[in-house]
Amino acid sequence: MPRRLVQLFAGLLLYGISDSMLLLAGLGVDPWDVLHQGLSRRTGIPVGTWAIIVGALVLLLWIPLRQRPGLGTLCNVILIGAVIDAMLALVTPPHSLAVRAAVMVSGVVLNGVATGLYIGAGLGPGPRDGLMTGFAARGHSLRVVRSAIEATVLLAGWLLGGTVGVGTVVYAVCIGPLAHIFVPLFNRTAPAPAALRSETRGSPRSRLVNLGFHSPGTRGAADEPGPEPSRTG
């Protein structure tokens, strides 16, 4: 557990730093930060604070989906936004286009590493991840659910004045492949039993387990109290 806690907090810290790098580069951010940035520009409330507020509101949507937050979920809501506000207050945005591009690309890669670290720790997904996997665990396509949610928040953020640019596109194209590299690499949860893998191979449930997402219907083998191989949400 101590090792998983260190990995969790390292991942959340790096996630906040990587989000800040994208914001500082000013070339476009990920869909959720487009929303946070748009809300910030409309209200004057810092971007990181809006990330905390939106994360808490999204967490309320877990209730009808019967998702269970973990320690990592609660820490995700608070820590990432706090790091974003601290970084934006302390670091001066770069001015050279070449430097901004380098910061943007580095931020995307670091975000992929951070995603692998905090999800791989197996202490609970972030509120936005849990919302997507909560729908996916009930038979919906994870890809379709994620695309629909992120397109909605991206449009809302853009209408509010958030920055959509090349960084947004680079993030959208790269974060999936990066997560598929780094989540298994840093995964600290026990693998599912052979019977479970055989029973659910190719299903939404097995794909979520393999990526380290644990919802009521997708718990890891180490979390199971008895011999029953799986539970329905």
Side-chain angles (χ1 to χ4, degrees):
M1 177 64 77
R3 182 176 180 181
R4 292 168 66 190
L5 283 173
V6 170
Q7 178 173 317
L8 168 68
F9 286 112
L12 295 177
L13 176 63
L14 290 177
Y15 201 101
I17 292 173
S18 66
D19 268 9
S20 303
M21 292 170 70
L22 291 170
L23 288 161
L24 289 166
L27 296 174
V29 293
D30 68 271
W32 284 99
D33 279 335
V34 173
L35 176 62
H36 304 150
Q37 190 179 55
L39 289 167
S40 176
R41 288 174 173 172
R42 290 284 183 173
T43 64
I45 297 173
V47 176
T49 304
W50 269 116
I52 295 172
I53 295 171
V54 172
L57 293 174
V58 169
L59 200 55
L60 293 177
L61 298 177
W62 283 32
I63 297 173
L65 295 173
R66 291 185 291 172
Q67 291 283 88
R68 287 192 294 267
L71 173 64
T73 309
L74 303 177
C75 292
N76 181 297
V77 172
I78 298 171
L79 186 57
I80 291 177
V83 171
I84 290 173
D85 279 348
M87 287 285 293
L88 295 183
L90 295 173
V91 179
T92 302
H95 298 291
S96 165
L97 180 59
V99 175
R100 292 168 64 196
V103 170
M104 180 266 292
V105 172
S106 299
V108 171
V109 174
L110 186 60
N111 193 275
V113 175
T115 298
L117 283 169
Y118 91 78
I119 292 178
L123 295 173
R128 298 156 185 81
D129 296 322
L131 179 65
M132 298 173 193
T133 57
F135 282 110
R138 281 152 182 78
H140 303 285
S141 165
L142 180 60
R143 180 175 299 179
V144 171
V145 168
R146 177 167 188 157
S147 298
I149 292 175
E150 293 192 344
T152 300
V153 299
L154 178 66
L155 177 60
W158 177 70
L159 290 174
L160 289 168
T163 302
V164 177
V166 64
T168 310
V169 177
V170 172
Y171 185 93
V173 170
C174 296
I175 195 61
L178 287 170
H180 276 278
I181 293 171
F182 291 112
V183 171
L185 180 64
F186 294 118
N187 186 23
R188 300 298 176 210
T189 58
L196 176 60
R197 290 197 302 268
S198 175
E199 175 188 336
T200 61
R201 182 174 293 118
S203 68
R205 174 174 299 159
S206 81
R207 288 194 292 273
L208 299 181
V209 170
N210 291 338
L211 283 177
F213 292 112
H214 293 166
S215 68
T218 59
R219 299 204 299 177
D223 300 323
E224 289 295 337
E228 185 181 355
S230 66
R231 297 181 177 215
T232 56

